[in-house]
Amino acid sequence: MHYQPQPELLHNRIILVTGAGDGIGREAALTYARHGAQLILLGRTLSKLQAVKQEIHQLGLAPAATVEFDLLTAAPADYQKLADEIAAAYPHLDGVLNNAGLLGTINPLAEQNYQEFCDVMQVNVNASLLLTQAVLPLLLKSPSASLIFTSSSVGRTGRAGWGAYAISKFATEGMMQVLADEYKNTHLRVNCINPGGTRTSMRASAFPDEDPHKLKTPADIMPLYLYLMGDDSRRKTGMSFDAQPGRKPGPAE
Ligand code: NDP
């Protein structure tokens, strides 16, 4: 995407990123901070979140907060407690990037382990719903809020072997569309990003034989993440965007 964001695009915006300790979420958090946002970094590995927080601090940017939170094991009440803690520290939320994800095993649906299916759905779908429900009042207090979900090409066209992950990404697209329709007359917009094949540890476990240097890096795909988080996308809602338009799904050639 050719997008030239203003350097201060996200000045004073308060943004929560899930899975902010690694991969695309880490890069998005750092990118949003560089454009002026105050970050709430949520993830399950505190040391990784602290490293991102430290990097933001060393760059002299707005201080970030870390939230150690396991989206696989958290109960519904934990999400409400989290939202209460955020509400005690911040006046509102201007953006949420639901980015954390679980791949599961690549194998035929006939062999899909049921517990693993539940785990993938828990992290990729149920947790996004619970987090969204809990923080909606904070998003609705913002004059212009952006709620972003993370999809995948296998969330639009099913592909053999992608089992629970593909099903969870179809559900994510559906959740985005329902929410966008429910909030279409508000200042809250709701959209999906399909990152496309990107050089991260999740991608490496999905395609272990692939040359990672043939893939875009998380930094390469940030223009779309900025566009959808900032006010230039104010009128866009209910849409699913490709961070790498035209890229063919599957292994890099
Ligand atoms: P990574 O595996 O590199 O990072 C995922 C992040 O999510 C990690 O920080 C991880 O934490 C966190 N996470 C995983 N499970 C939990 C949990 N139970 N609780 C809290 N945090 C958790 O993945 P990517 O950066 O590649 O993927 C980011 C998103 O993009 C995902 O939704 C993925 O499905 C999607 N995507 C990625 C593509 C790609 O090619 N990379 C392509 C299409 C979609 P920890 O670091 O502690 O493990």
Side-chain angles (χ1 to χ4, degrees), residues 24 44-45 48 70-72 99 150-151 165 169 198 200:
I24 296 168
R44 65 180 166 184
T45 310
K48 290 188 184 182
D70 190 337
L71 298 163
L72 179 61
N99 161 82
T150 308
S151 180
Y165 181 81
K169 295 299 187 182
T198 307
T200 67

Side-chain angles (χ1 to χ4, degrees), residues 205-251:
S205 52
F207 294 99
D209 300 329
E210 184 178 54
D211 177 359
H213 295 99
K214 291 188 171 165
L215 294 168
K216 297 283 187 204
T217 65
D220 293 330
I221 61 170
M222 285 302 121
L224 179 62
Y225 282 76
L226 280 167
Y227 171 71
L228 280 181
M229 200 48 95
D231 277 351
D232 291 325
S233 61
R234 215 170 22 225
R235 286 182 184 76
K236 307 284 185 207
T237 196
M239 297 174 69
S240 194
F241 291 82
D242 284 313
Q244 301 181 52
R247 185 188 185 281
K248 270 202 312 187

Side-chain angles (χ1 to χ4, degrees), residues 63-245:
T66 56
V67 181
E68 187 181 9
F69 196 92
D70 190 337
L71 298 163
L72 179 61
T73 56
D78 297 327
Y79 290 83
Q80 194 48 57
K81 187 164 166 278
L82 168 66
D84 291 344
E85 284 165 7
I86 295 172
Y90 301 90
H92 57 253
L93 278 177
D94 298 295
V96 173
L97 174 63
N98 278 299
N99 161 82
L102 189 60
L103 178 65
T105 308
I106 310 276
N107 63 359
L109 264 188
E111 293 162 26
Q112 174 72 59
N113 174 277
Y114 178 65
Q115 187 54 52
E116 188 180 66
F117 180 85
C118 294
D119 289 352
V120 170
M121 295 301 282
Q122 188 64 32
V123 174
N124 296 1
V125 184
N126 303 4
S128 294
L129 173 70
L130 289 165
L131 181 65
T132 300
Q133 286 180 322
V135 301
L136 264 171
L138 283 162
L139 284 167
L140 292 170
K141 280 189 190 166
S142 164
S144 166
S146 177
L147 173 59
I148 303 173
F149 291 93
T150 308
S151 180
S152 166
S153 53
V154 293
R156 300 192 190 139
T157 306
R159 196 183 318 149
W162 284 76
Y165 181 81
I167 293 168
S168 76
K169 295 299 187 182
F170 270 91
T172 299
E173 295 270 357
M175 181 158 46
M176 174 279 286
Q177 290 183 14
V178 171
L179 281 164
D181 200 36
E182 287 175 351
Y183 290 91
K184 65 183 175 210
N185 296 321
T186 72
H187 294 302
L188 172 65
R189 60 195 186 282
V190 191
N191 295 288
C192 268
I193 293 178
N194 165 25
T198 307
R199 200 187 305 168
T200 67
S201 47
M202 181 189 286
R203 176 75 189 188
S205 52
F207 294 99
D209 300 329
E210 184 178 54
D211 177 359
H213 295 99
K214 291 188 171 165
L215 294 168
K216 297 283 187 204
T217 65
D220 293 330
I221 61 170
M222 285 302 121
L224 179 62
Y225 282 76
L226 280 167
Y227 171 71
L228 280 181
M229 200 48 95
D231 277 351
D232 291 325
S233 61
R234 215 170 22 225
R235 286 182 184 76
K236 307 284 185 207
T237 196
M239 297 174 69
S240 194
F241 291 82
D242 284 313
Q244 301 181 52

Side-chain angles (χ1 to χ4, degrees), residues 1-60:
M1 176 185 200
H2 300 289
Y3 173 58
Q4 293 266 301
Q6 294 297 314
E8 288 297 295
L9 178 79
L10 302 174
H11 182 62
N12 282 342
R13 300 295 167 96
I14 305 163
I15 297 172
L16 170 67
V17 176
T18 72
D22 212 340
I24 296 168
R26 176 183 181 280
E27 190 62 41
L30 289 167
T31 303
Y32 292 157
R34 277 192 223 102
H35 285 79
Q38 238 178 300
L39 267 296
I40 304 170
L41 310 165
L42 184 148
R44 65 180 166 184
T45 310
L46 187 59
S47 57
K48 290 188 184 182
L49 301 175
Q50 282 169 337
V52 179
K53 179 184 162 122
Q54 181 62 11
E55 203 168 327
I56 290 173
H57 174 72
Q58 278 166 353
L59 291 167

